[in-house]
């Protein structure tokens, strides 16, 4: 007879007779739970041996102790249950009992009334130790509470969907924050997450759901439209939960707001192929487009090289902000007569390129004339009416070059010829363009003589810690002390030196001169700081750079820690294998590497990861646009954040105002260079700057 049957049976035999029956004796003595009997006032009459392991008492000690065994706080409630059992009702309840050793044991008790001749004559009791179960449940509740607190505190949304019940079983507060919809609305089914997904991303989202049916985790990005109508990018991670048969029973997921990161990433990626100032495609996109056209040659196309006449005069007169505004306006005018199949590119500075596809040479001339007519009306820059012209060199593929490099070189010659003929000119390339090369030959002779006679001098521009405003370094800048033309700035001879490879000898002279100067400062007991040297791409890629450097260091006996080499992004892309080997060799020698004018060229994040430079130098054109261009501010912030994450120091050049300084200081720029602190000065003046205790206020007096 089962316990439940006992509970429903009216006993018609006495307690003594019950104990005499063997079957009841077997159940009573061998049941794993504690079995006991009580009289009508609640005294224990008998108990099996399991009480010893349960509460520590022997079956003989337990007689009459029922009320003494119950925890004081539970006694009244237990007494009520006993009275209800005496009244004929089966009772089941939990309580705490006192172990013989003094500690509490959690118990579940069943009280079954025993009947004789229709009257209750006693109570049959079953007690089970549930302490471990209670502890387990408590831990589970605590864990559940902890996890829920964690979910609620995370800056992301957590959810769970029961497949079989077809309902949401959990939603964290992060979902509410992200969507603007109360989590209860998702829980009760009045709102569905899929309603928020941007229509253009819905198909992709539904395809990802098919992967979940296969039991595969999914990570995907899409847009949602929140309750206020705002579009946000989110990243969703969904984890399918399968039962033992492999059937999908639940989906758990995390949703993260990546909107700002997405915008920053897209912007950085966009500006890897576009010019930050004019928003035109940049040199990288131009070269890729041109390479495809040459490789997939089907018909001739036309290439324009174009630059603005007297642009340097505008920059010098109105400053870089005026020059930047002119470039933006010029870019708009250049594009007015192009078709959607043409490509207008800013190569850098005031140099532009245009690719005209499906264009006959005669039609190309008409386009060039229209462009020049667009420039006939003045540009209004900073309330000045500027009359700016342009020069255009034109090359035709494949007539003027069967490779990309050849076509570009010959088109550049045509531009050089156009500028040489008085500017505001259009010139198609012809093989007979030699006049300008004769002039160039004379200039090359002068430059070669200047290198032999060391007609060059170095100026130094300080690099300053924006926090302490103390000089932490300087850049060595070359000047040509021409015997007839006086002091010439670098842009008057460096391009020619690059073209003729004289830049290699010139670069070696600069390295040697800087090392000699450092040695002189050291021997004189002067304060010194690291000096950065601009290394051209050609010099950087020449095999003997490292050996030449080591020879100079040995001759001057200076520590390489006082040197820093500045290289351009162009250097990185010309021969990546050789560049990487050279950078590694220089760094092993103790030379720091700085990537100059970052952001004006290719600005590839891959280069930063691969070449591991020590410094990034933000181009002055970005700095000029602080507080006037949201895009430029965003780019600077992104560069600074990226550099901090990659443990690269950043130098901002062209700092001219306190407002620019405050912005860079706020965003943790490492070093500042610009006229706010000092223009480039000769060695004597720079030595005085260092001796003035690095006090920037004294520097500018």
């Amino acid at each position: 007879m089962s316990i439940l049957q006992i509970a429903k049976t009216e006993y018609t035999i006495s307690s003594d007779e019950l104990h005499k029956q063997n079957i009841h004796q077997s159940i009573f003595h061998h049941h794993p739970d504690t079995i006991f009997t009580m009289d009508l006032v609640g005294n224990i009459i008998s108990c099996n041996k399991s009480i010893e392991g349960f509460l520590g008492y022997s079956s003989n000690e337990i007689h009459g102790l029922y009320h003494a065994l119950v925890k004081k706080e539970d006694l009244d409630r237990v007494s009520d249950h006993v009275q209800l059992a005496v009244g004929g009702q089966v009772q089941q309840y939990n309580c705490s009992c006192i172990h013989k050793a003094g500690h509490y044991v959690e118990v579940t008790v069943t009280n079954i009334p025993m009947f004789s001749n229709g009257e209750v004559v006693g109570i049959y009791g079953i007690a089970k130790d549930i302490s471990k179960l209670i502890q387990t449940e408590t831990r589970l509740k605590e864990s559940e509470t902890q996890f829920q607190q964690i979910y609620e505190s995370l800056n992301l949304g957590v959810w769970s969907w029961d497949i079989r019940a077809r309902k949401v079983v959990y939603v964290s507060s992060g979902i509410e924050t992200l969507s603007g919809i109360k989590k209860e609305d998702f829980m009760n089914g009045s709102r569905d997450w899929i309603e928020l997904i941007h229509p253009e991303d819905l198909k992709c989202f539904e395809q990802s759901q098919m992967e979940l049916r296969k039991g595969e985790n999914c990570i995907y990005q899409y847009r949602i439209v929140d309750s206020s109508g705002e579009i946000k990018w989110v990243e969703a991670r969904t984890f399918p939960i399968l039962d033992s048969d492999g059937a999908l029973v639940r989906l758990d997921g995390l949703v993260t707001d990546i909107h700002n990161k997405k915008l920053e990433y897209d912007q950085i990626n966009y500006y890897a192929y576009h010019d930050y100032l004019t928003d035109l495609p940049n040199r990288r996109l131009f070269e890729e487009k041109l390479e495809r056209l040459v490789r997939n040659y089907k018909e001739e196309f036309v290439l324009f090289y174009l630059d603005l006449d007297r642009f340097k005069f505008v920059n010098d007169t109105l400053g870089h902000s005026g020059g930047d505004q002119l470039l933006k306006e010029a870019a708009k005018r250049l594009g007015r007569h192009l078709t959607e199949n043409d490509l207008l590119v800013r190569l850098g500075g005031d140099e532009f390129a245009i690719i005209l596809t499906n264009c006959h040479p005669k039609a190309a001339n008409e386009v060039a004339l229209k462009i020049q007519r667009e420039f006939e009306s003045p540009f209004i820059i900073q309330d000045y009416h500027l009359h700016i012209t342009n020069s255009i060199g034109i090359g035709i593929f494949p007539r003027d070059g069967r490779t990309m490099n050849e076509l570009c070189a010959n088109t550049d010659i045509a531009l050089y010829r156009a500028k040489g003929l008085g500017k505001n000119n259009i010139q198609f390339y012809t093989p007979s363009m030699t006049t300008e090369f004769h002039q160039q030959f004379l200039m090359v002779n002068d430059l070669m003589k200047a290198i032999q006679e060391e007609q060059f001098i170095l100026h130094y521009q300080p690099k300053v810690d924006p926090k302490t405003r103390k000089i932490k370094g300087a850049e060595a800048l070359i000047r040509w002390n021409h015997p007839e033309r006086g002091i010439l700035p670098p842009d008057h001879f460096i391009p020619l030196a690059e073209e003729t490879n004289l830049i290699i000898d010139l670069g070696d002279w600069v390295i040697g001169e800087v090392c000699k100067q450092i040695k002189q400062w050291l021997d004189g007991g002067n304060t010194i700081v690291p000096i950065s040297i601009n290394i051209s791409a050609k010099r950087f890629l020449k095999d003997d750079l490292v050996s030449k450097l080591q020879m100079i260091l040995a001759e001057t006996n200076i520590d390489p820690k006082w040197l820093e080499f500045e290289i351009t992004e162009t250097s990185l892309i010309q021969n990546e294998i050789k560049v990487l080997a050279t950078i590694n060799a220089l760094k092993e020698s103790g030379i720091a590497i700085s990537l100059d004018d970052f952001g004006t060229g290719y600005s590839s994040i891959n280069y930063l990861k691969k070449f591991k430079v020590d410094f990034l130098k933000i181009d002055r054109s970005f700095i000029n646009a602080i507080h006037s261009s949201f895009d430029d501010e965003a780019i600077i912030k992104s560069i600074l954040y990226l550099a901090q994450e990659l443990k690269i120091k950043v130098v901002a050049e062209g700092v001219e105002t306190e407002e620019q300084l405050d912005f860079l200081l706020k965003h943790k720029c490492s070093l500042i260079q610009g006229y706010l602190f000092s223009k480039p000065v000769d060695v004597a003046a720079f030595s005085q700057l260092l001796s003035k205790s690095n006090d920037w206020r004294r520097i500018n007096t």
Side-chain angles (χ1 to χ4, degrees), residues 310 313-314 317-318 325-326 333 375-389:
R310 301 176 64 246
F313 173 78
V314 175
T317 305
L318 302 182
Q325 187 178 349
L326 174 60
R333 297 193 187 186
F375 278 60
E376 290 177 356
S377 57
F379 292 85
I380 302 175
I381 307 296
Q382 296 180 1
D383 296 330
Y384 291 95
H385 286 64
L386 303 180
H387 294 274
I388 302 296
T389 59

Side-chain angles (χ1 to χ4, degrees), residues 287-298 301 397 402-404:
E287 290 182 351
E288 290 184 4
K289 168 78 170 179
L290 201 58
E291 182 65 38
R292 285 196 301 270
L293 287 173
V294 171
R295 184 173 60 249
N296 302 322
Y297 166 60
K298 293 181 180 179
F301 62 87
F397 179 85
R402 304 193 68 86
T403 67
M404 182 183 76

Side-chain angles (χ1 to χ4, degrees), residues 96-307:
S96 297
C97 288
I98 305 171
H99 193 277
K100 187 176 181 180
H103 60 271
Y104 292 117
V105 179
E106 299 300 322
V107 182
T108 181
V109 180
T110 302
N111 290 155
I112 304 170
M114 295 187 298
F115 291 90
S116 178
N117 297 323
E119 295 183 1
V120 177
V121 296
I123 297 174
Y124 188 87
I126 304 171
K128 181 190 291 281
D129 184 351
I130 61 169
S131 298
K132 292 183 179 180
L133 178 61
I134 294 296
Q135 290 174 358
T136 301
E137 290 179 347
T138 301
R139 291 194 189 100
L140 287 173
K141 289 180 180 178
E142 290 175 350
S143 297
E144 183 178 347
T145 301
Q146 286 180 332
F147 279 116
Q148 188 165 352
Q149 289 174 344
I150 292 173
Y151 291 154
E152 296 299 330
S153 64
L154 289 175
N155 188 26
L156 51 79
V158 183
W159 57 270
S160 185
W161 169 268
D162 189 316
I163 297 294
R164 293 171 177 171
R166 299 187 63 78
K167 68 175 184 178
V168 176
V169 293
Y170 178 76
V171 176
S172 74
S173 298
I175 294 288
E176 183 173 326
T177 302
L178 190 59
S179 66
I181 298 171
K182 293 182 178 180
K183 59 183 181 180
E184 291 79 11
D185 291 342
F186 291 109
M187 293 286 290
N188 62 31
S190 62
R191 294 300 300 270
D192 192 333
W193 180 263
I194 200 169
E195 300 171 6
L196 306 178
I197 298 174
H198 194 284
E200 294 177 5
D201 298 340
L202 191 56
K203 184 177 180 180
C204 179
F205 174 83
E206 291 173 344
Q207 289 175 345
S208 68
Q209 300 303 297
M210 299 302 295
E211 299 299 316
L212 293 170
R213 297 288 175 179
K214 302 175 185 177
E216 299 178 4
N217 295 345
C218 281
I219 302 176
Y220 43 101
Q221 297 177 355
Y222 56 87
R223 289 164 293 174
I224 65 168
V225 183
D226 69 12
S227 60
S228 65
E230 182 181 353
I231 298 175
K232 297 177 180 177
W233 274 98
V234 299
E235 181 175 87
R237 296 170 178 259
T238 306
F239 312 99
I241 308 301
L242 309 179
D243 63 13
S244 58
D245 296 326
L248 185 64
V249 296
R250 198 175 77 245
L251 294 176
D252 294 336
L254 306 174
V255 184
T256 308
D257 184 347
I258 61 166
H259 192 70
N260 291 334
K261 290 183 179 179
K262 180 74 172 176
L263 293 180
E264 289 178 4
Y265 174 81
D266 288 347
Q267 191 172 53
I268 291 173
N269 189 57
Y270 178 82
Y271 282 110
Y273 285 92
H274 289 78
D275 173 53
Y276 66 93
L277 182 64
T278 62
D279 214 32
L280 293 175
N282 62 13
R283 183 182 293 273
R284 182 177 187 177
L285 193 150
F286 165 73
E287 290 182 351
E288 290 184 4
K289 168 78 170 179
L290 201 58
E291 182 65 38
R292 285 196 301 270
L293 287 173
V294 171
R295 184 173 60 249
N296 302 322
Y297 166 60
K298 293 181 180 179
E299 54 190 354
E300 67 180 11
F301 62 87
V302 177
L303 175 62
F304 284 11
Y305 271 177
L306 179 150
D307 66 13

Side-chain angles (χ1 to χ4, degrees), residues 567 572 583 587 592-595 607-617 646-649:
I567 61 176
L572 301 182
I583 287 178
K587 289 172 73 70
I593 302 297
S594 175
L595 187 58
Y607 296 150
L608 301 184
K609 291 168 55 181
K610 184 179 298 183
F611 297 105
K612 301 186 184 302
V613 298
D614 302 287
F615 295 86
L616 284 184
K617 207 166 186 186
L646 295 176
K647 303 296 187 294
I648 301 174
K649 294 181 180 179

Side-chain angles (χ1 to χ4, degrees), residues 19-36:
H19 287 290
K20 292 177 183 179
Q21 295 186 22
N22 290 334
I23 187 170
H24 293 163
Q25 288 288 349
S26 178
I27 294 174
F28 188 82
H29 290 296
H30 299 291
H31 199 286
D33 297 330
T34 298
I35 308 295
F36 62 92

Side-chain angles (χ1 to χ4, degrees), residues 639-680:
I639 292 173
L640 289 169
Y641 174 78
L642 177 65
Q644 290 163 20
E645 290 296 307
L646 295 176
K647 303 296 187 294
I648 301 174
K649 294 181 180 179
V650 177
V651 181
E653 62 179 357
V655 179
E656 299 179 354
T657 68
E658 286 287 345
E659 290 78 10
Q660 293 169 350
L661 176 63
D662 291 341
F663 176 88
L664 294 166
L665 187 60
K666 176 181 177 182
H667 295 285
K668 302 179 181 179
C669 185
S670 310
L671 295 172
I672 304 298
Q673 186 178 2
Y675 278 26
L676 177 63
F677 301 99
S678 174
K679 64 180 182 180

